[in-house]
Amino acid sequence: MKQRALLALLVSKHGQCLSVADLVDCLWGGEAPPTARAALQVYISKLRKHLAGAGFASGSLSTSLPGYVLHLGDNGFDLDEFHRLTQRKGAPHPEDRPGLEREAQNLQRALALWRGPALVDLRDVPSLRELGIVLDEAWMSAYERKLEIDLLLGRELMVLSDLRRLALQYPKREKIQGLLMTALYRNGRAAEALSTYHGLRQTLVEHLGMDPGQRLNKLHHAILNRESWLEERKNGLFASVV
């Protein structure tokens, strides 16, 4: 367990030196035994052998005062690729269908790199738990953007089941609920869209003592009045509503 946590810590900071003191603190917290530093050296030795067996160059895990640094070289790192694919240097205009298609494809490739919640079996380690939460949010933001683009491209029927599933999984996440409301409305299910809003409002009031935000209220009002802009992708619906 601790050896896997050590590898995760080194990979998450690849190219940076992590001190022995920081690694001991991350792995054992405030309860490090007197043998912690010796145990760390054993884990480092085993990791070096594992990396060599996996095809990494000699010296990939090097000693560098005051600790150790992992060099990934050309082996690549999924998280780096994820960030590259999800980086937005400027969102395409809502009428730029080729640009939206390219962004959607990049997001799909980025999401395909994931195999489940980040570091799910290592979250007993506080620093990895915090990193896992940050990575989960990055994944969720990318997924939301992908679904948003799908709606801008008129694929509301195709994404409806995904949005329903996510809305159940994240009942307090307003962006997801707003995307679901829009998809339902565009599929001729205005009553279900309104019901989704009221379910969200009840959840937020009961659990957080607050109402939905201004954007969701605007969307709710627009659905009640069947405002024409709800069907007009070119207006950049999600930039102004959800």
Side-chain angles (χ1 to χ4, degrees):
M1 171 68 172
K2 279 188 168 51
Q3 185 167 320
R4 291 190 65 249
L6 172 61
L7 178 59
L9 288 166
L10 290 167
V11 169
S12 70
K13 300 290 185 180
H14 67 95
Q16 303 176 40
C17 182
L18 293 179
S19 71
V20 170
D22 285 344
L23 288 170
V24 167
D25 184 61
C26 287
L27 293 174
W28 282 277
E31 302 176 355
T35 57
R37 286 177 177 253
L40 176 62
Q41 291 179 345
V42 173
Y43 295 146
I44 290 291
S45 178
K46 290 182 177 179
L47 277 180
R48 282 176 171 149
K49 293 178 181 178
H50 177 78
L51 290 169
F56 283 77
S58 175
S60 293
L61 178 52
S62 62
T63 301
S64 177
L65 292 177
Y68 303 94
V69 56
L70 178 65
H71 304 278
L72 290 177
D74 297 328
N75 292 279
F77 183 32
D78 283 351
L79 186 57
D80 289 343
E81 179 69 0
F82 174 83
H83 288 318
R84 185 188 71 79
L85 290 168
T86 57
Q87 185 177 15
R88 296 172 66 188
K89 298 179 180 179
H93 190 276
E95 292 185 51
D96 178 12
R97 190 176 183 91
L100 291 171
E101 293 278 10
R102 284 192 298 272
E103 186 178 355
Q105 290 170 5
N106 284 339
L107 288 167
Q108 187 62 46
R109 289 166 56 198
L111 293 169
L113 295 171
W114 292 69
R115 298 295 181 269
L119 305 169
V120 66
D121 58 339
L122 296 173
R123 294 201 181 187
D124 288 341
V125 179
S127 58
L128 293 179
R129 180 171 62 249
E130 294 168 7
L131 176 60
I133 293 171
V134 170
L135 294 178
D136 286 347
E137 179 60 32
W139 173 86
M140 191 67 208
S141 295
Y143 202 169
E144 286 177 335
R145 176 58 181 166
K146 170 63 167 58
L147 293 168
E148 179 180 347
I149 293 173
D150 284 332
L151 289 182
L152 286 169
L153 292 171
R155 299 168 179 165
E156 46 268 6
L157 182 59
M158 184 181 74
V159 301
L160 189 54
S161 61
D162 277 355
L163 284 169
R164 287 187 186 278
R165 176 177 53 79
L166 289 170
L168 289 173
Q169 190 174 354
Y170 301 95
K172 295 189 286 288
R173 198 168 181 100
E174 294 191 30
K175 179 83 176 262
I176 286 295
Q177 303 296 330
L179 293 171
L180 175 58
M181 289 168 62
T182 304
L184 287 167
Y185 181 84
R186 289 180 176 173
N187 277 293
R189 302 177 183 181
E192 289 183 55
L194 294 173
S195 178
T196 297
Y197 172 84
H198 291 301
L200 169 64
R201 183 177 184 279
Q202 182 177 356
T203 297
L204 293 179
V205 170
E206 288 181 357
H207 293 273
L208 301 175
M210 60 186 294
D211 286 319
Q214 182 178 0
R215 290 179 177 179
L216 262 292
N217 287 327
K218 178 181 178 181
L219 179 59
H220 174 241
H221 185 270
I223 292 172
L224 278 173
N225 291 280
R226 299 185 181 274
E227 295 181 13
S228 60
W229 61 266
L230 283 169
E231 299 286 353
E232 298 174 4
R233 281 78 173 174
K234 67 181 182 180
N235 284 343
L237 169 67
F238 304 105
S240 60
V241 177
V242 300

